[in-house]
């Protein structure tokens, strides 16, 4: 879990830390970047962009749930944060096994800020959705088929029981009033 803002309003310190974090991120030093983003979050109320940037570093470091949480905080502040939507969408798609959520996030991000990489992921997700819908339709058909068979089996069993009852009634009637006078000889 990563530290979250509690109090303080040192915006100058936050600004310096964000710059330091961005430099570290750009040079590939993700641990240092995360440390600076964490300090920046603690220095003053974090912006949606700060949360979104920290979430990218968290995702690259394999902290998927923490990254998703930062995206949530970013989107609470700015529901149109394309960066947060893209990051959370990719997280959901690649790491959190939530392709439906990924489809929503990435679709929304594309409307705000088109990205060819996201377009490719959306194509893949759309294929998954179509496959899923086909599977669901197949399952529905199989359930309906089982149900139809069950109904036919019940109907057949009832008809058989009715026929057996009629045969038994006929046999009883035959044994009672069957041959008059009994068996003569």
């Amino acid at each position: 879990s990563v530290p979250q803002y509690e109090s303080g309003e040192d915006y100058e310190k936050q600004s310096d830390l964000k710059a330091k974090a961005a430099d570290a991120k750009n040079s590939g030093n993700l641990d240092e970047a995360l440390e600076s983003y964490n300090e920046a979050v603690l220095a003053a109320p974090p912006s949606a962009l700060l949360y979104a940037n920290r979430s990218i570093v968290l995702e690259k470091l394999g902290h998927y749930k923490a990254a998703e949480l930062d995206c949530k905080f970013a989107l609470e502040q700015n529901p149109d944060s394309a960066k947060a939507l893209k990051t959370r969408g990719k997280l959901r798609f690649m790491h959190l096994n939530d392709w439906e959520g990924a489809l929503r996030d990435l679709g929304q991000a594309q409307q705000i800020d088109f990205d060819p990489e996201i377009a490719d992921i959306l194509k893949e997700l759309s294929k998954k959705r179509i496959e899923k819908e086909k599977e669901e339709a197949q399952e529905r058909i199989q359930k309906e088929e089982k149900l139809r068979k069950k109904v036919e089996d019940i109907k057949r069993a009832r008809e058989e029981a009715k026929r057996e009852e009629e045969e038994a009634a006929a046999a009883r009637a035959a044994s009672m009033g069957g041959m008059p006078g009994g068996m003569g000889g």
Side-chain angles (χ1 to χ4, degrees):
S1 160
V2 290
Q4 298 301 340
Y5 174 75
E6 288 169 18
S7 64
E9 292 194 6
D10 194 340
Y11 290 99
E12 196 175 313
K13 179 181 179 184
Q14 186 182 64
S15 183
D16 292 342
L17 287 163
K18 287 192 298 190
K20 187 179 169 190
D23 288 344
K25 183 175 87 174
N26 293 336
S27 65
N29 191 341
L30 298 177
D31 291 317
E32 187 183 316
L34 179 59
E35 201 174 300
S36 295
Y37 279 133
N38 286 343
E39 289 178 41
V41 165
L42 295 172
S47 65
L49 188 59
L50 173 52
Y51 277 129
N53 282 326
R54 183 169 74 168
S55 74
I56 290 169
V57 173
L58 286 165
E59 187 262 338
K60 287 181 178 175
L61 288 170
H63 304 298
Y64 306 128
K65 286 292 184 188
E68 186 184 33
L69 187 62
D70 271 7
C71 289
K72 178 180 165 276
F73 291 146
L75 291 165
E76 283 171 0
Q77 286 187 31
N78 176 7
D80 292 332
S81 169
K83 189 177 260 193
L85 285 164
K86 283 181 197 177
T87 303
R88 188 173 71 179
K90 285 188 204 174
L91 274 166
R92 287 175 163 178
F93 171 59
M94 299 190 309
H95 306 294
L96 302 175
N97 200 22
D98 174 11
W99 63 268
E100 289 164 323
L103 198 54
R104 273 192 312 275
D105 286 346
L106 297 174
Q108 197 177 335
Q110 280 300 74
Q111 291 174 353
I112 297 164
D113 179 26
F114 183 82
D115 177 336
E117 180 197 352
I118 300 301
D120 290 340
I121 293 173
L122 280 170
K123 278 182 200 162
E124 197 173 326
L125 286 168
S126 295
K127 284 181 194 167
K128 273 192 176 207
R129 176 197 265 164
I130 290 167
E131 286 169 20
K132 176 88 170 150
E133 287 171 356
K134 280 182 185 173
E135 281 175 24
E136 288 170 352
Q138 196 60 43
E139 285 172 18
R140 234 185 350 268
I141 290 167
Q142 287 171 346
K143 277 183 187 170
E144 288 168 6
E145 185 65 28
K146 277 184 183 173
L147 203 59
R148 202 173 49 72
K149 268 189 174 158
K150 201 173 194 176
V151 167
E152 283 176 13
D153 290 347
I154 291 169
K155 196 173 167 186
R156 206 176 7 256
R158 283 184 179 154
E159 287 170 359
E160 206 171 293
K162 187 178 175 188
R163 195 175 54 251
E164 285 173 4
E165 179 58 38
E166 288 170 354
E167 287 172 3
R172 279 193 306 272
S175 70
M176 283 180 184
M179 300 186 195
M183 294 181 70

